[in-house]
Amino acid sequence: MQLRFSPSMRSITISSSNGFIDLMKIKVAARHISYRTLFHTILILAFLLPFVFILTAVVTLEGVNKCSSFDCLGRRLGPRLLGRVDDSGQRLVRDFYNVLNQVNTEVIPADLKLPDSFSQLVSEMKNNQYDAKTFAIMLRAMMEKLEREMRESKFSELMNKHFAASSIPKGIHCLSLRLTDEYSSNAHARKQLPPPELLPLLSDNSYHHFVLSTDNILAASVVVTSAVQSSSKPEKIVFHVITDKKTYAGMHSWFALNPVSPAIVEVKGVHQFDWLTRENVPVLEAVENQNGIRKYYHGNHVAGANLTDTTPRTFASKLQARSPKYISLLNHLRIYLPELFPNLNKVVFLDDDIVIQQDLSPLWEIDLGGKVNGAVETCRGEDEWVMSKRFRNYFNFSHPLVAKNLDSEECAWAYGMNIFDLNAWRKTNIRETYHYWLRENLKSNLTMWKLGTLPPALIAFRGHVHPIDPSWHLLGLGYQNKTSIESVREAAVIHYNGQSKPWLQIGFEHLRPFWTKYVNYSNDFIRNCHILES
């Protein structure tokens, strides 16, 4: 932009920088204006015109509208020159927030008819010309309905999963029946386990003795097979498999017809232990037969439950705590190991939902420092489901007896793979303490803790636990499908604790192969019972 004064100073021309277009020409009358006033006017125009040009360009580029008249331009530039902007959008948002807050405190009519989809809601808005409040009420009612349906669906899923986890798959039931029939008709299935010449080894403390208590034949076969195949000295392994009376014949048949030589396997039923009489296990007899307890574990878990105030996770925990296995003598059997095996010094107790992937013979070399129970502590990790458990996760600290005797921050430990020093155990009152707390929980109508056999064991073994390295025992494969595959591969023992057992359809697909690799799918009994590899 250029300013050009005439020689007589009677006219001023404002032109573009290239000189081709004269934008403004001002003629000055000498008698009506002073040079000083003229000079000031020129200065003002020189400052204002560039800003007008820039604002005009900005507005044009923004394309707020296509208005090109001077009047429209003024309406658009005026607020900008005065530092004001159009707040109609913000005002609309504020108004909508006010409507939402108002609707949030109102009661939704019970007879309100709700559309089935968002598109239907939009259509009804157009047809019925809903105002903002009506729209907000409809939207809130639809969302609350969706939340209720989602909660009901989640609780239904948890119940179905609980039933699936508590039931016996048809294939496993078939396997037990066929092997039981084989026991009665086939002499080879009834042969003595182990052979008479190996009987002295059952109490030889130079061997590595494992104890497994289960009524699941397929699961027992995986535990034993994985232990033998992973061992550097399988000839030093002795397995003591304990089962109930109804499963004894089938369990015996399996290991008689499928030996795991050079390892030694003994199969015994609880009815064959002289020590396991009613006189010695009165508390467990009460637990198993008391009508209120049976109703608690086998009754309707939804009836009487306030699902509105219960989170799905809390409900899942309660269902897990009501698994019928928790009142089974087989599940409590580990508390009687010193009496059941009076000639043994040290044993490793295994749950039936584990897989052994490394040689466990070094476990017998661990110095427990005079403690009874070598176990992995479960309060040392970030995983909220499995490895961050303290006493507060298991016990009801609103109960006065619990609050008085226990520390809510005390670290918990895991059942499933435990080294037990039976000699040290026999010098303690662990069994008596276990019985005492079971009685107190019965008197308190089962309100002192929520999970099966671990809570009374946490109390009974207090002061008698020696922590072992977590790499020996990886837990949680039956709880969550986010378990690290690399961690699974590196662990010595992996534990499918939780509902999603690998032999169930609800088991996690990517974790199941670590278990199925030890199932002999070519076995006639397994094939005939249609236990197929996934």
Side-chain angles (χ1 to χ4, degrees), residues 107-114:
V107 178
I108 297 177
D111 58 346
L112 182 63
K113 185 178 179 181
L114 298 177

Side-chain angles (χ1 to χ4, degrees), residues 250-280:
M251 188 76 74
H252 190 283
S253 294
W254 176 266
F255 287 106
L257 299 174
N258 300 279
V260 287
S261 180
I264 299 169
V265 177
E266 173 194 33
V267 177
K268 296 195 72 172
V270 291
H271 59 288
Q272 296 175 320
F273 286 97
D274 295 335
W275 191 87
L276 285 176
T277 61
R278 292 185 179 182
E279 291 74 22
N280 287 326

Side-chain angles (χ1 to χ4, degrees), residues 299-335:
N300 188 335
H301 305 314
V302 176
N306 187 356
L307 299 184
T308 304
D309 298 331
T310 303
T311 65
R313 177 170 177 174
T314 301
F315 186 65
S317 179
K318 290 181 178 179
L319 289 178
Q320 173 70 7
R322 292 189 174 193
S323 173
K325 73 176 184 178
Y326 290 134
I327 59 173
S328 166
L329 178 58
L330 286 176
N331 207 44
H332 290 271
L333 201 63
R334 67 197 87 192
I335 204 68

